[in-house]
Amino acid sequence: MQVIQNYIGGKFVPPASGQYLDNHNPATGEIFGKIPDSDATDVETATQAATTAFPAWAALPLEQRHDILRAISDGITRHLHRLAEAETLDSGKTIFASSTVDIPRAALNFKFFATALLHFASESHQMPGVLSYTLRQPLGVVGCISPWNLPLYLFTWKIAPALAAGNCVVGKPSEVTPLTAFLLGEICNEAGLPPGVLNIVHGLGPKAGEAIVRHPHIKAISFTGSTRAGAEIARIAAPMFKKLSLELGGKNPNLIFADCDYDKMLDTTVRSSFSNQGQICLCGSRIYVESSIFEKFKKDFVARVNALKIGDPMHPESRHGAVVSKMHFEKILSYIELAKQEGGSVIAGGKEVRLPGNLAGGWFIAPTVIEGLPLACRTNQEEIFGPVVTIQPFDADDEALVLANGVPYGLSATVWTNSLSRAQRFAAELQAGIVWVNCWLLRDLRTPFGGVKNSGVGREGGWDAMRFFTETKNVTIAG
Ligand code: NAD
């Protein structure tokens, strides 16, 4: 039994209550570990440690701050194998994904922001005889709360810019996937991060997470997770005037036009539908295909989907692992049932998969394709966040746009076309924070990342993240 602890003031400490939660392996359904069931007392201790560490961390010469963050990046790379195994054990994602996407990206997040802090600058404005300049100062102690789908990847995507900008952090990874965040504490100590600069409190969202949001000395909350929890966080934080960055759910359209590069589109659409068992906020879960190629696409797509190798997430050849928890497994299956009740036809998957041996209790769902559903049904309006996509034909560009924009979410959209004018029109008119044309999940970390509508407020990435984690102060000097 693997028992993990909170990381507070550079030390690994048990929760004040002495209470722990079970941690399950999604590939077997078995309990393999215990995680702290932390509460407001632990958050208070972590916040005090962060508050104590803040003045020295904020005053550290930039080169030294850079060197420490860079050393954390190197530490993640050095421990890649161990971290990838932990991520797969905890989340059910394939070791292929953990070792080629999740952990390398976590290392890159620290490398990227270690470099960014050396180049971060602020503005100045001049009038005759008058100079105004803007100070960008760290906020103090900030809260970073992350979800289970890309555990270390998204946790570090928040922590790295927060630390780079000179803040101290109280972080909470998802209670469903806490393992790599626990290991990150060890790596931070090895890298020479001063005690208290980063503190990691494990536990439930409405308990430990909410205590972070409520704490009066925590100045900003960077949150990635469900729209439901984001709304709750906004409700609590707004009267305290905290800075908020909310990266929330999605129901992303994937628009496929007959003039696209078909083979590239097909390869990418399999990935954009089912990577990480469809548990990426950027996955395209509503696929709209121009009528003239709909039947061909349907046949080719279903053949490719049925060929996806479902297997032991730890096996290097597996390309489709388990979904993250029993609760999530049941939620996804209930949506497949709902889709049938709403009149949809399941043309691939549509059921759980029972693997042999010790994986028999695992939470595996076959990649599922459903057709014949209107835009207005719940299956097409609500986020399922699993290996389930709907496909539907369209005839005209205007119709495609109405379908794409007809949901409450607006995170990302993908457009497949070789028409420049169509690409430009859709890029401008799609209601989304991110539009990919002829590609998917191609990320330049300098670009703004985030959604519109119910997909959240604020932008992460590049200078947007550094600006979020700093407060501006204008200084005007008359000569
Ligand atoms: P979730 O909202 O249940 O939990 C996310 C995190 O918030 C967890 O650490 C959880 O413990 C914590 N939390 C929950 N309730 C809280 C509360 N009241 N106060 C404070 N913290 C609270 O989400 P999840 O199920 O872990 O993740 C899946 C969701 O995340 C999906 O909706 C997905 O679209 C979204 N997501 C969005 C992005 C993005 O960039 N927009 C990226 C990944 C995932």
Side-chain angles (χ1 to χ4, degrees):
M1 190 65 59
Q2 183 156 14
V3 183
I4 68 170
Q5 307 293 10
N6 290 330
Y7 173 67
I8 297 177
K11 298 201 163 57
F12 292 94
V13 293
S17 66
Q19 300 296 310
Y20 288 81
L21 304 161
D22 290 335
N23 194 6
H24 292 85
N25 175 356
T28 63
E30 286 161 6
I31 296 168
F32 74 92
K34 298 272 175 203
I35 79 157
D37 182 8
S38 309
D39 58 26
T41 312
D42 304 290
V43 169
E44 178 59 38
T45 315
T47 307
Q48 280 176 17
T51 306
T52 306
F54 173 66
W57 178 248
L60 203 66
L62 294 185
E63 294 75 14
Q64 289 180 34
R65 212 191 285 162
H66 162 272
D67 289 350
I68 293 171
L69 297 190
R70 191 56 215 254
I72 297 174
S73 170
D74 293 344
I76 294 173
T77 303
R78 216 171 32 252
H79 292 286
L80 189 146
H81 193 63
R82 185 177 172 215
L83 288 164
E85 277 193 350
E87 206 72 293
T88 290
L89 175 68
D90 227 6
S91 68
K93 67 174 63 204
T94 62
I95 193 78
F96 174 75
S98 303
S99 56
T100 62
V101 180
D102 289 71
I103 307 306
R105 173 59 191 275
L108 182 57
N109 289 340
F110 271 101
K111 189 190 277 186
F112 178 82
F113 283 108
T115 311
L117 76 87
L118 295 176
H119 300 271
F120 190 45
S122 60
E123 309 81 20
S124 72
H125 302 83
Q126 294 173 44
M127 294 188 293
V130 181
L131 172 66
S132 293
Y133 63 90
T134 303
L135 289 175
R136 286 192 180 275
Q137 296 172 312
L139 301 172
V141 181
V142 299
C144 296
I145 303 176
S146 57
W148 48 257
N149 65 321
L150 298 163
L152 193 64
Y153 173 138
L154 288 176
F155 196 46
T156 54
W157 182 232
K158 299 179 177 307
I159 289 170
L163 298 180
N167 302 283
C168 291
V169 171
V170 177
K172 195 195 87 61
S174 169
E175 61 275 26
V176 187
T177 53
L179 215 46
T180 46
F182 168 69
L183 297 173
L184 180 67
E186 282 179 19
I187 290 169
C188 289
N189 285 350
E190 279 170 25
L193 189 73
V197 171
L198 170 64
N199 306 276
I200 301 173
V201 178
H202 295 278
L204 300 169
K207 201 165 163 185
E210 202 176 303
I212 294 174
V213 178
R214 286 192 184 281
H215 200 292
H217 295 155
I218 295 182
K219 304 289 183 211
I221 302 292
S222 173
F223 170 81
T224 299
S226 61
T227 297
R228 180 200 49 76
E232 180 63 11
I233 287 169
R235 195 185 60 76
I236 296 168
M240 302 167 81
F241 308 111
K242 293 194 184 202
K243 264 186 131 174
L244 281 181
S245 169
L246 302 173
E247 303 295 338
L248 310 177
K251 189 75 182 176
N252 309 312
N254 178 2
L255 304 173
I256 299 169
F257 290 89
D259 68 354
C260 72
D261 177 339
Y262 187 85
D263 293 340
K264 185 178 171 204
M265 175 279 296
L266 188 64
D267 281 350
T268 311
T269 296
V270 174
R271 278 197 309 117
S272 68
S273 304
F274 298 114
S275 287
N276 202 33
Q277 295 71 252
Q279 302 167 127
I280 299 181
C281 55
L282 304 164
C283 279
S285 52
R286 296 180 295 132
I287 304 176
Y288 298 113
V289 188
E290 196 167 356
S291 299
S292 58
I293 60 164
F294 183 76
E295 289 304 324
K296 175 175 166 51
F297 171 81
K298 188 165 96 175
K299 186 165 149 282
D300 294 344
F301 184 59
V302 166
R304 291 286 299 274
V305 170
N306 286 333
L308 280 172
K309 239 175 134 36
I310 307 174
D312 184 350
M314 284 295 179
H315 195 287
E317 299 294 315
S318 297
R319 291 295 178 270
H320 193 88
V323 301
V324 77
S325 67
K326 184 160 193 288
M327 198 172 85
H328 198 52
F329 172 78
E330 284 166 358
K331 174 188 152 181
I332 296 165
L333 290 177
S334 78
Y335 267 104
I336 295 173
E337 280 315 304
L338 175 71
K340 291 183 203 161
Q341 285 162 23
E342 289 182 322
S345 309
V346 175
I347 55 171
K351 53 184 184 311
E352 71 174 286
V353 175
R354 285 240 160 260
L355 294 177
N358 68 334
L359 304 176
W363 302 311
F364 296 89
I365 297 178
T368 297
V369 183
I370 300 169
E371 71 166 333
L373 286 171
L375 173 66
C377 69
R378 282 183 57 205
T379 309
N380 270 331
Q381 290 290 317
E382 298 176 13
E383 185 183 45
I384 302 173
F385 211 55
V388 179
V389 296
T390 60
I391 63 170
Q392 191 183 327
F394 66 85
D395 290 313
D397 288 24
D398 286 347
E399 182 192 357
L401 204 52
V402 169
L403 290 167
N405 287 339
V407 295
Y409 295 100
L411 188 53
S412 70
T414 308
V415 185
W416 291 94
T417 181
N418 276 324
S419 157
L420 186 57
S421 56
R422 177 183 281 143
Q424 288 193 339
R425 178 186 174 203
F426 276 77
E429 295 189 30
L430 281 165
Q431 295 167 0
I434 300 150
V435 177
W436 279 294
V437 180
N438 299 333
C439 58
W440 177 73
L441 209 61
L442 201 54
R443 289 279 295 124
D444 179 328
L445 300 190
R446 295 168 297 183
T447 59
F449 178 95
V452 299
K453 294 157 72 176
N454 288 3
S455 294
V457 287
R459 292 291 179 270
E460 297 187 320
W463 298 141
D464 284 280
M466 295 294 281
R467 290 187 185 119
F468 174 75
F469 284 116
T470 49
E471 188 70 87
T472 56
K473 182 190 288 175
N474 179 62
V475 182
T476 299
I477 303 179

